Amino acid sequence: QVQFVESGGGFVQPGSSLTLSCAASEPVNRPHGMGWYRQVPGKDRELIAQISAFGSTNYFGPAKGRFFIVRDSDKNTVDLQMIGVIPEDTAAYYCNAGPQVGGKIQPHYTWGPGTQVTVSS
């Protein structure tokens, strides 16, 4: 079974930029795409960025124009570049992989521990 470990989160100020990284225990680039998700207490986990098995990317909600997903198939990693973070970006961030159905990656594997991003002055 594939395992994911997310890293790179922390306490940052609004306007800062940071990169989150997700390391997979084994290759997941084919046939699945990969996605970054975030979750805040009391709310459902939401998909914010994805990259297909063929490299096409999609962004959702407020991530559009500010976050960028980058995959390195050779290293079995996928990064989330976060630019100009705002307090509303505060959440636990997770990665996963799975088939793309209905335009969105369907998480197929066990969730990793996630990495917390807290945006505050």
Side-chain angles (χ1 to χ4, degrees):
Q1 177 67 283
V2 176
Q3 298 288 337
F4 300 102
V5 178
E6 301 90 348
S7 62
F11 191 97
V12 296
Q13 296 184 357
S16 298
S17 297
L18 73 163
T19 298
L20 307 183
S21 185
C22 168
S25 60
E26 58 188 85
V28 291
N29 60 301
R30 300 280 292 187
H32 295 330
M34 298 189 71
W36 274 97
Y37 305 75
R38 68 183 182 186
Q39 185 175 35
V40 299
K43 295 185 178 181
D44 294 333
R45 184 182 284 108
E46 64 174 344
L47 175 66
I48 58 172
Q50 66 180 31
I51 183 167
S52 76
F54 300 99
S56 61
T57 59
N58 297 96
Y59 302 93
F60 305 90
K64 293 181 179 179
R66 298 191 301 116
F67 295 177
F68 303 91
I69 187 168
V70 181
R71 189 179 195 175
D72 189 332
S73 297
D74 293 332
K75 297 181 179 179
N76 300 323
T77 61
V78 59
D79 291 351
L80 183 69
Q81 299 175 343
M82 306 171 66
I83 301 174
V85 296
I86 59 177
E88 289 73 20
D89 292 326
T90 296
Y93 286 75
Y94 304 84
C95 67
N96 214 301
Q100 187 169 334
V101 179
K104 292 186 176 182
I105 298 297
Q106 306 298 308
H108 185 70
Y109 302 97
T110 300
W111 297 102
T115 184
Q116 178 69 36
V117 175
T118 301
V119 183
S120 177
S121 297

